[in-house]
Structure formats: structure tokens, C-alpha cells
């Protein structure tokens, strides 16, 4: 027996940005986006076709953090009645910030209290969000949670509420054409990580697994080609579709051990999320060989029967793309690794993982990812 649920309406295709005015449908709206010029231009274009927004947040920085969110959220109070809908134009940081604004409705302390104590859920709002992802990675356009960082406190939270699923996801691959190599790589790997993490997950079900297999197959097939042809709209569309499928997969399972290993590495060593949550994938893959059942069948459907070789091939792909596969490649010293691994396995996402710490450590030792015999990185 299993249940699959996802309520997000999906509008997909190059040029779909133009459909936003009808999706806003005359409601008063806020725009959430980055400060960079292309995003200012998109906000301008939307204002011309959908009428002026009542509020514009155009200062979203990567990895939404407590301090910034507190000040940004307060701006909601300046709009009588608040905006009726929030339009998020950007990657995970923008969509997650929009979800925080939607839940806080002008008072960040309500969100903070809920994150830290799990009390006060009934006080959180759910202003509708229209998510327009400009990266193909996080899947936040189809999940009901937002990652909230507390850099000062060295903590990461997940704001998860059923009413934070976006109302609509408008996925327009043409908006992704300007992504540079490193961002295309990191976000593509984030999506691969979501797909694989939803398979080696106690919450996997046949439907999440179908989405995950499709997502992984497309990424492994098309991400290398896209990395050498960044302006190719067909490849951008395929990777956007794969990231969406990965989002639909992990929207029902959440992530697992590779993500839990990543958070302290992003917080402590500034490694972008998509890299931090994917450099351990070959080792995690190796560690679940022999666990059997439909999950291992899915991995074989993606990678072929020889999963040992698949893990080696994945490592080789990461290395040739410029991604280090050892903790030392990111400056994480050996003595920090033990604590990171212990905490990752003890945490909520670690408990979603079907494998064991012993098996992970065995694979990690074989792969040499814990000591300093670093592979040569391709510049
Ligand atoms: N809610 C979820 O389910 C979920 C899942 C995974 C990750 N996350 C979170 O999402 C964040 C990462 O999001 P992200 O990887 O999408 O990146 P991001 O939103 O942090 O953006 C990173 C950079 O990419 C630039 N950028 C974005 N789109 C661009 C485009 N089309 N062209 C050129 N530049 C562009 C931005 O200006 C920004 O500087 C992290 O905080 C992570 O923890 C959330
Ligand atoms: Fe992720």
C-alpha cells in the first residue's frame, strides 16, 4: 500500500513566462527575485503585462538566512491587506524566501518560533505562491518546504507546511539559458541527488520511484552534453523536466544521507548546495549495493546491472566536470568528517536512508574520500 500526493499545477514550456498575467488573474501581487539585471528586466516585463506589483523583493541572495529574512519579511507590513499572491522568479533561494514570506505574512518571528520549537503552526499563513524557477535543480516549485539557514548559529532548518506547496509552477526553460557552467553543473547535480536520495529512502513508493528513475536517466544522459552546449534550449528543457521529476519524487519522500552530510559543509566551508549534496553520491551508491528490493532494481534501471562500475563512472563524471569527490577537496579536515558523518546519520534525513553508517564508512574508506589522497581535479 502506498500514497502519492502533489497538488501543484504545472505549466511547462519555453516562453510560458508570458502566461503569468493570466495566472495572477488580477490579484494584487508581490515579486520576489534577485538583484541582477536579467531579473530586474523580468520584473519590468511582468509589471508591463500584469500591472504593477504592490511589493518587489529584489534583493534575494543565495541561501536565505535568518537575519536577511527577518528584515525582508517586515516589508509585508507596509502593504495594507498584504499581496494576494507572491510570484517567485529565481532558483531555490528565491522560491524558498517566497515560502517564508508566505508563511510569515509580515512577522518573521512566527516562522522562527515554529522552526525552533515546532510550536505555533496554526499562526503561520499560506499566501499563495506562483513559482517560476530559473534554475533546474532544487524542485522547490513542487515541494511544500523551504530551506532556511542560520549562518550565525551554524544551523539549517526546513520550514515544512502543507500549505506551502506553490499554487502553480511555471517552468520556462528559456529563462535558464543564461546559467553559467558552474551553476548549471551544481543545480543539475542537486536534481540528480534529489532523485537518487528519494530512491535509497525509507519513504520511497512506486510513484516517487518512477519519477526518480526518469529524472536520473535524463540527467545522466543530457547533463554532460548541456555542460558543453550551454545555449541549447532542447537540452535545457530536458534538464528542467528532469529536475521537475526529481522534485515530484522527493516531494513525497524528502531527502536522505547525502543531503544531511551536505549542510555543515555548506555552512562551514561555503560549498554551494548542489555540489555539497552530490560529491558523496558515488560512495552512497556503493554503500547500498546488495540492499535488494525495488529500490535496488530502480538503481539498476538507471545505472545498469553493475552498480560498482556505475559508482566508478559517476565518480569519473564528477571529477571530469570539476567536482572534487573527497571531503579534503572542500577543505574539510579529517577530524571534522567524523562528527559530520555521525550527526548526518543521527539526523532526520539520515534516518530516511535505507543504508547503514558502517557500510557508508566502508565505501568511503575504499573510495579514499575521507583522507587526503586527493584525485587530480580538472580545472
Ligand atoms: N525547497 C527545497 O525543496 C530545496 C531543495 C534543494 C535546495 N534548496 C535550497 O535552494 C538554494 C539553492 O538554490 P539554487 O541552487 O536554485 O540557487 P540560488 O537560488 O541560490 O541561486 C544561486 C545563484 O544563481 C543565480 N541564478 C539563478 N538563476 C539564474 C539564471 N537563470 N541565469 C543566471 N544566473 C542565475 C542567482 O543570481 C544566484 O546568484 C539553497 O538555499 C538550498 O538549500 C531548497
Ligand atoms: Fe538539494
Amino acid at each position: 500500500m502506498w500514497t502519492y500526493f502533489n497538488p501543484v499545477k504545472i505549466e511547462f514550456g519555453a516562453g510560458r513566462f508570458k502566461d503569468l498575467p493570466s495566472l495572477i488573474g488580477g490579484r494584487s501581487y508581490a515579486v520576489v527575485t534577485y538583484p541582477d539585471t536579467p531579473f530586474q528586466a523580468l520584473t519590468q516585463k511582468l509589471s508591463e503585462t500584469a500591472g504593477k506589483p504592490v511589493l518587489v523583493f529584489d534583493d534575494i541572495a543565495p541561501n536565505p538566512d535568518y537575519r536577511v529574512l527577518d528584515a525582508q519579511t517586515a516589508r509585508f507590513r507596509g502593504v495594507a491587506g498584504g499581496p494576494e499572491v507572491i510570484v517567485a522568479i529565481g532558483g531555490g533561494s528565491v522560491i524558498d524566501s517566497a515560502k517564508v514570506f508566505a508563511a510569515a505574512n509580515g512577522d518573521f518571528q512566527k516562522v522562527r518560533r515554529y522552526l525552533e520549537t515546532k510550536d505555533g503552526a496554526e499562526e503561520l499563513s499560506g499566501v499563495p505562491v506562483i513559482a517560476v524557477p530559473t534554475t533546474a535543480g532544487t524542485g522547490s516549485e513542487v515541494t511544500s518546504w523551504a530551506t532556511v539557514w542560520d549562518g550565525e548559529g551554524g544551523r539549517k532548518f526546513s520550514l515544512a507546511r502543507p500549505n506551502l506547496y506553490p499554487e502553480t509552477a511555471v517552468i520556462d526553460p528559456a529563462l535558464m539559458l543564461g546559467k553559467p557552467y558552474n551553476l548549471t553543473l551544481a543545480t543539475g547535480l542537486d536534481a540528480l541527488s534529489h532523485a537518487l536520495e528519494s530512491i535509497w529512502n525509507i519513504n520511497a513508493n512506486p510513484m516517487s520511484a518512477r519519477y526518480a528513475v526518469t529524472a536520473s536517466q535524463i540527467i545522466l544522459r543530457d547533463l554532460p552534453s548541456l555542460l558543453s552546449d550551454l545555449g541549447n534550449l532542447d537540452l535545457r528543457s530536458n534538464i528542467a523536466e528532469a529536475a521537475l521529476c526529481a522534485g515530484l519524487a522527493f516531494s513525497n519522500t524528502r531527502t536522505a544521507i547525502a543531503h544531511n552530510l551536505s549542510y555543515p559543509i555548506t555552512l562551514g566551508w561555503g560549498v554551494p548546495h548542489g555540489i555539497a549534496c552530490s560529491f558523496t553520491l558515488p560512495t552512497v551508491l556503493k554503500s547500498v549495493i546488495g540492499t535488494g528490493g525495488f529500490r535496488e532494481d530502480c538503481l539498476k534501471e538507471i545505472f545498469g546491472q553493475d552498480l560498482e562500475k556505475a559508482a566508478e563512472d559517476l565518480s569519473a563524471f564528477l571529477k571530469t566536470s570539476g567536482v572534487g569527490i573527497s571531503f579534503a577537496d572542500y577543505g574539510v579536515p579529517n577530524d571534522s568528517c567524523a562528527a559530520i558523518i555521525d550527526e548526518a546519520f543521527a539526523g532526520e534525513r539520515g534516518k530516511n536512508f535505507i543504508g547503514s553508517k558502517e557500510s557508508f564508512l566502508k565505501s568511503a574508506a575504499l573510495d579514499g574520500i575521507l583522507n587526503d589522497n586527493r584525485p587530480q581535479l580538472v580545472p
Side-chain angles (χ1 to χ4, degrees):
M1 280 199 296
W2 52 273
T3 303
Y4 179 91
F5 176 75
N6 196 299
V8 182
K9 179 180 176 200
I10 296 164
E11 302 284 4
F12 188 101
R16 296 302 297 272
F17 185 86
K18 69 168 175 16
D19 295 343
L20 279 173
S22 69
L23 292 167
I24 293 169
R27 289 173 290 179
S28 65
Y29 72 99
V31 173
V32 183
T33 194
Y34 310 106
D36 320 56
T37 315
F39 301 96
Q40 303 285 347
L42 288 173
T43 307
Q44 181 60 32
K45 200 163 145 192
L46 185 59
S47 310
E48 285 161 13
T49 49
K52 254 175 90 72
V54 291
L55 201 53
V56 176
F57 298 86
D58 57 1
D59 55 350
I60 304 299
N63 299 340
D65 192 86
Y66 258 21
R67 274 201 311 190
V68 183
L69 287 169
D70 195 2
Q72 288 169 332
T73 304
R75 294 182 211 152
F76 247 72
R77 284 182 236 140
V79 181
E84 292 171 288
V85 60
I86 304 175
V87 181
I89 307 171
S93 297
V94 164
I95 300 171
D96 287 4
S97 297
K99 289 177 181 174
V100 170
F101 305 150
N105 206 358
D107 183 359
F108 183 69
Q109 292 316 314
K110 285 197 297 197
V111 169
R112 183 173 184 155
R113 172 168 168 241
Y114 177 69
L115 291 176
E116 293 179 5
T117 65
K118 290 282 167 263
D119 287 336
E122 66 292 345
E123 286 177 37
L124 298 177
S125 329
V127 180
V129 172
I130 298 176
V132 188
T134 62
T135 62
T138 72
S140 184
E141 65 277 11
V142 289
T143 70
S144 62
W145 49 75
T147 304
V148 179
W149 302 85
D150 171 17
E152 230 164 53
R155 302 178 293 179
K156 167 261 167 196
F157 296 97
S158 185
L159 173 64
R161 297 293 307 145
N163 60 358
L164 291 182
Y165 280 108
E167 174 184 280
T168 308
V170 178
I171 300 156
D172 181 345
L175 301 179
M176 300 165 187
L177 283 169
K179 288 202 299 172
Y181 179 97
N182 283 342
L183 186 62
T184 303
L185 174 64
T187 50
L189 292 175
D190 189 21
L192 178 63
S193 186
H194 296 154
L196 296 176
E197 293 257 272
S198 74
I199 293 174
W200 49 56
N201 195 306
I202 56 169
N203 304 312
N205 66 54
M207 187 56 61
S208 67
R210 283 296 96 219
Y211 280 124
V213 168
T214 300
S216 306
Q217 287 173 332
I218 297 173
I219 294 168
L220 293 170
R221 187 193 67 202
D222 286 346
L223 186 59
S225 317
L226 176 58
L227 288 169
S228 52
D229 189 7
L230 294 171
N232 186 318
L233 185 59
D234 289 337
L235 292 172
R236 287 277 178 209
S237 296
N238 293 352
I239 296 296
E241 194 178 306
L244 170 66
C245 287
L248 290 168
F250 92 108
S251 69
N252 275 245
T253 63
R254 298 187 179 239
T255 53
I257 192 63
H259 271 71
N260 232 20
L261 286 164
S262 79
Y263 299 122
I265 297 171
T266 294
L267 277 164
W269 289 271
V271 179
H273 172 72
I275 301 295
C277 71
S278 56
F279 80 95
T280 54
L281 290 177
T283 304
V284 179
L285 173 58
K286 231 180 236 180
S287 81
V288 296
I289 294 173
T291 48
F294 82 99
R295 295 175 179 83
E296 191 164 354
D297 289 344
C298 285
L299 294 173
K300 288 182 177 164
E301 204 178 327
I302 295 166
F303 291 107
Q305 292 299 311
D306 187 346
L307 292 178
E308 290 278 353
K309 181 175 177 304
E312 295 304 330
D313 290 349
L314 185 54
S315 256
F317 166 61
L318 292 176
K319 283 185 248 171
T320 52
S321 307
V323 177
I325 57 145
S326 88
F327 286 80
D329 287 322
Y330 301 99
V332 185
N334 270 344
D335 47 8
S336 300
C337 291
I340 290 174
I341 292 168
D342 283 350
E343 278 169 31
F345 273 91
E348 202 184 312
R349 302 283 183 282
K351 287 183 185 149
N352 287 343
F353 180 49
I354 55 156
S356 70
K357 186 163 88 179
E358 292 64 37
S359 172
F360 174 80
L361 288 173
K362 208 166 122 197
S363 302
L366 284 173
D367 287 349
I369 71 166
L370 292 177
N371 51 39
D372 211 9
N373 57 356
R374 272 182 272 182
Q376 205 64 38
L377 288 186
V378 172

